[in-house]
Amino acid sequence: MKTASKTNLFLLELILMVLIFSLSAAVCIRVFAYSESLSSYSSDLSNATIKAQSAASFYKHSGDLEYTAAQLFGTIKDETVITYYAKDWRACADAETASYVLTIKEDSAKALIDIQKINESDNIFSLSVKAVQHE
Amino acid sequence: MKTNSHSTEVISGLLLFLLFATAMLFVLLFGAKAYQNISASMEEQYKERTCISYIAAKVRHADSAGAVSLVDFGGTSALSLDETVDGQVYSTLIYYYQGNLYELYAEKNSDLQPEDGFSIIAMDNVVFETVAPSLFRIECSLEGRTSEIFISTMSEKEASLT
């Protein structure tokens, strides 16, 4: 009787331990997953900033969407420059294999540059730029 | 009968402990993987971004009419950022020399040589190019990773290798 009681107590202790561990593991996994997604977002933001700055430089320099599209290896559709980027942020022509898209729209002598992930509505980075008149 | 019941309890206890140990291992592995990914991402960003960001920030800081140009400095292409202090023109020269990005602040057209500057960061290669007047292309490479940025300056003066 004494032995059975001891074993039950041991089992109960183990179950409690597994329960506490499960709770801690759930919290840890959530934190790990969040940190990974944050790291991925930070990497996307860094690359998007560089791409948007380069696009802004082309537009600022020329004030011309066609020139900007040619320099970015993009296309113009409905007065919007569209450039696709693969996962490694290299420009690609195929929209189906692309992971990111950069769009430039003209709006009253300004260009609005947006970069977003394909199939996501939120912009990773946005920039507004005005063309410079060179002498 | 008693022995059977006792061994069942022992086995279930052991199984529970095994479950606990396996779960602990998985959580540890998951954490290690997450740390590895974050560390790789940070290293990648360092390689791709640090040099580019530094140069871009310097150019934007110095950007005024005719202040940014590409010059030949001791046989290497250098980005020259000019500023006038008390009527004297000074240049900040940024260039790639012997595996490092260098910077040198001196009077314009001084007799200083590339080795007189101070090293900013070790890089495999840094390329400065003029794509069009006042439009520069900067490319930085480190350990197989290359990134580039185009910078349009306010400067009206044509940037050219002189």
Side-chain angles (χ1 to χ4, degrees):
Chain A
M1 183 69 187
K2 209 177 172 186
T3 319
S5 160
K6 258 189 175 179
T7 319
N8 283 344
L9 205 68
F10 175 65
L11 265 176
L12 192 72
E13 194 185 326
L14 264 177
I15 290 170
L16 267 176
M17 195 171 73
V18 169
L19 197 75
I20 292 169
F21 174 79
S22 306
L23 282 173
S24 316
V27 172
C28 283
I29 287 170
R30 259 183 75 94
V31 171
F32 292 151
Y34 179 68
S35 66
E36 276 216 337
S37 83
L38 205 65
S39 159
S40 158
Y41 174 74
S42 150
S43 172
D44 283 349
L45 185 62
S46 296
N47 286 307
T49 310
I50 287 183
K51 294 296 173 194
Q53 283 178 11
S54 290
S57 289
F58 288 129
Y59 183 80
K60 196 172 132 188
H61 176 75
S62 64
D64 179 25
L65 282 185
E66 278 185 28
Y67 175 83
T68 308
Q71 293 296 325
L72 293 171
F73 305 105
T75 52
I76 297 184
K77 197 178 174 186
D78 301 331
E79 294 181 9
T80 303
V81 175
I82 300 171
T83 305
Y84 293 105
Y85 294 101
K87 211 176 176 182
D88 61 357
W89 285 93
R90 289 183 194 283
C92 65
D94 191 6
E96 284 181 12
T97 56
S99 295
Y100 308 94
V101 61
L102 176 148
T103 55
I104 308 175
K105 287 176 195 163
E106 268 186 320
D107 179 30
S108 56
K110 269 187 177 181
L112 300 170
I113 303 166
D114 292 324
I115 297 188
Q116 55 190 194
K117 260 189 169 175
I118 300 271
N119 300 329
E120 277 185 24
S121 55
D122 290 342
N123 289 330
I124 300 173
F125 187 71
S126 294
L127 195 63
S128 169
V129 66
K130 208 173 171 181
V132 173
Q133 298 300 316
H134 289 278
E135 284 178 356
Chain B
M1 185 70 186
K2 203 179 170 186
T3 321
N4 263 354
S5 161
H6 181 66
S7 57
T8 314
E9 279 164 2
V10 170
I11 287 169
S12 57
L14 277 172
L15 276 174
L16 210 56
F17 180 74
L18 200 71
L19 179 80
F20 172 80
T22 317
M24 194 168 75
L25 190 74
F26 272 109
V27 172
L28 271 175
L29 284 175
F30 190 75
K33 183 81 186 155
Y35 179 76
Q36 203 177 24
N37 286 347
I38 292 167
S39 166
S41 166
M42 279 176 73
E43 196 179 322
E44 190 179 305
Q45 279 191 51
Y46 169 78
K47 284 177 192 168
E48 287 187 353
R49 284 266 297 167
T50 313
C51 177
I52 288 267
S53 300
Y54 179 77
I55 299 170
K58 291 292 276 189
V59 171
R60 294 206 174 93
H61 176 72
D63 192 14
S64 61
V68 184
S69 60
L70 273 187
V71 296
D72 182 69
F73 182 51
T76 182
S77 177
L79 199 60
S80 173
L81 314 171
D82 299 343
E83 65 173 319
T84 307
V85 181
D86 296 333
Q88 181 71 46
V89 182
Y90 292 88
S91 293
T92 301
L93 293 166
I94 299 173
Y95 52 95
Y96 179 70
Y97 179 70
Q98 289 185 346
N100 286 277
L101 182 76
Y102 271 75
E103 187 176 304
L104 175 66
Y105 182 75
E107 266 183 44
K108 197 172 173 70
N109 301 322
S110 68
D111 293 332
L112 294 170
Q113 291 302 305
E115 56 267 28
D116 297 323
F118 63 91
S119 167
I120 303 290
I121 186 171
M123 296 299 295
D124 288 343
N125 196 21
V126 182
V127 178
F128 301 101
E129 276 177 4
T130 308
V131 179
S134 303
L135 182 62
F136 300 93
R137 176 179 171 271
I138 297 151
E139 184 190 284
C140 297
S141 309
L142 182 64
E143 290 170 18
R145 295 203 164 268
T146 301
S147 58
E148 62 170 12
I149 191 168
F150 292 84
I151 303 175
S152 171
T153 61
M154 297 286 186
S155 320
E156 283 107 10
K157 187 177 81 174
E158 275 198 19
S160 58
L161 278 168
T162 52

